[in-house]
């Protein structure tokens, strides 16, 4: 079964069959403008920084937008006093709707996140103008969803493959879908 959720919500879903998933928060993502070459001690000339083409920069920024989404979901899952609506800075559409629902479900149950999600590999491709399809392996082994007494409510699997969509609207990037598709 494919369910839309972030990595942390995925853990909760695994622990609680009733939970369907979570979508991380939305927010503008910083742009990366160049790639710095590695420095060497040899006498050979050091290559100068290579500027990215606009398409390459957009791809890097789309990946960064997804990472920001995952980080924001972690933040909102860890702090029950944070504003769930902050998710709208980095997500839209089904990712935003599912994320809000999952965060509310976690808070009502008294759960909160300890630790953080690690993105272990991410690929992206342009699927339409201003729209990218991403695949990422989210590693939840460095985090835990705990109840009000601090007892873990999650279990394996801890590594899940997600398929997500990122769009660019004007100058901002947003995650619009995020679904768990397999383990990784």
């Amino acid at each position: 079964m494919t369910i839309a959720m972030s990595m942390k919500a995925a853990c909760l879903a695994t622990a609680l069959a009733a939970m369907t998933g979570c979508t991380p928060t939305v927010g503008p993502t910083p742009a990366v403008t160049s790639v710095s070459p590695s420095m060497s001690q040899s006498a050979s000339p050091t290559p100068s920084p290579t500027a990215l083409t606009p398409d390459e920069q957009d791809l890097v920024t789309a990946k960064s937008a997804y990472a920001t989404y995952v980080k924001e979901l972690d933040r909102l899952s860890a702090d029950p006093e944070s504003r769930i609506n902050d998710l709208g800075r980095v997500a839209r559409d089904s990712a935003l709707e599912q994320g809000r629902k999952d965060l509310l479900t976690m808070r009502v149950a008294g759960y909160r996140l300890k630790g953080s999600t690690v993105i272990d590999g991410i690929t992206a491709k342009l699927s339409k103008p201003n729209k990218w399809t991403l695949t990422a392996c989210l590693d939840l082994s460095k985090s835990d969803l705990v109840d009000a007494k601090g007892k873990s409510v999650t279990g394996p699997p801890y590594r899940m493959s997600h398929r997500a969509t990122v769009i660019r609207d004007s100058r901002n990037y947003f995650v619009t879908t995020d679904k768990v598709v397999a383990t990784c």
Side-chain angles (χ1 to χ4, degrees):
M1 176 180 191
T2 302
I3 25 185
M5 66 179 80
S6 73
M7 297 180 349
K8 298 308 171 204
C11 280
L12 178 58
T14 302
L16 306 168
M19 183 169 258
T20 59
C22 183
T23 301
T25 61
V26 187
T29 30
V32 177
T33 56
S34 66
V35 176
S36 300
S38 61
M39 302 302 282
S40 68
Q41 297 293 325
S42 68
S44 62
T46 303
S48 60
T50 305
L52 298 176
T53 68
D55 288 344
E56 291 169 332
Q57 181 58 55
D58 286 343
L59 191 64
V60 168
T61 305
K63 289 178 182 181
S64 178
Y66 185 74
T68 299
Y69 163 84
V70 171
K71 185 176 179 178
E72 183 67 7
L73 184 59
D74 281 356
R75 183 185 74 80
L76 294 170
S77 298
D79 181 5
E81 300 300 317
S82 61
R83 292 174 7 105
I84 291 176
N85 286 336
D86 286 353
L87 188 57
R89 295 182 309 199
V90 295
R92 287 188 176 171
D93 303 334
S94 67
L96 177 60
E97 183 181 324
Q98 188 64 50
R100 286 178 176 162
K101 179 181 175 183
D102 292 338
L103 288 165
L104 183 60
T105 300
M106 288 173 22
R107 289 179 181 187
V108 167
Y111 298 154
R112 69 183 180 86
L113 179 69
K114 287 190 171 189
S116 60
T117 302
V118 175
I119 298 176
D120 186 14
I122 186 168
T123 60
K125 67 178 182 174
L126 184 67
S127 54
K128 290 184 179 178
N130 298 317
K131 184 176 182 180
W132 295 265
T133 301
L134 290 79
T135 302
C137 179
L138 302 182
D139 183 347
L140 308 172
S141 64
K142 303 290 186 217
S143 64
D144 196 9
L145 198 60
V146 298
D147 65 16
K149 295 180 180 181
K151 183 178 177 186
S152 178
V153 296
T154 59
Y158 296 109
R159 294 173 52 86
M160 290 174 260
S161 180
H162 285 242
R163 183 167 301 125
T165 304
V166 172
I167 63 162
R168 179 178 59 206
D169 182 5
S170 185
R171 300 176 97 178
N172 296 314
Y173 290 71
F174 299 93
V175 174
T176 58
T177 65
D178 184 25
K179 298 180 183 196
V180 173
V181 292
T183 58
C184 52

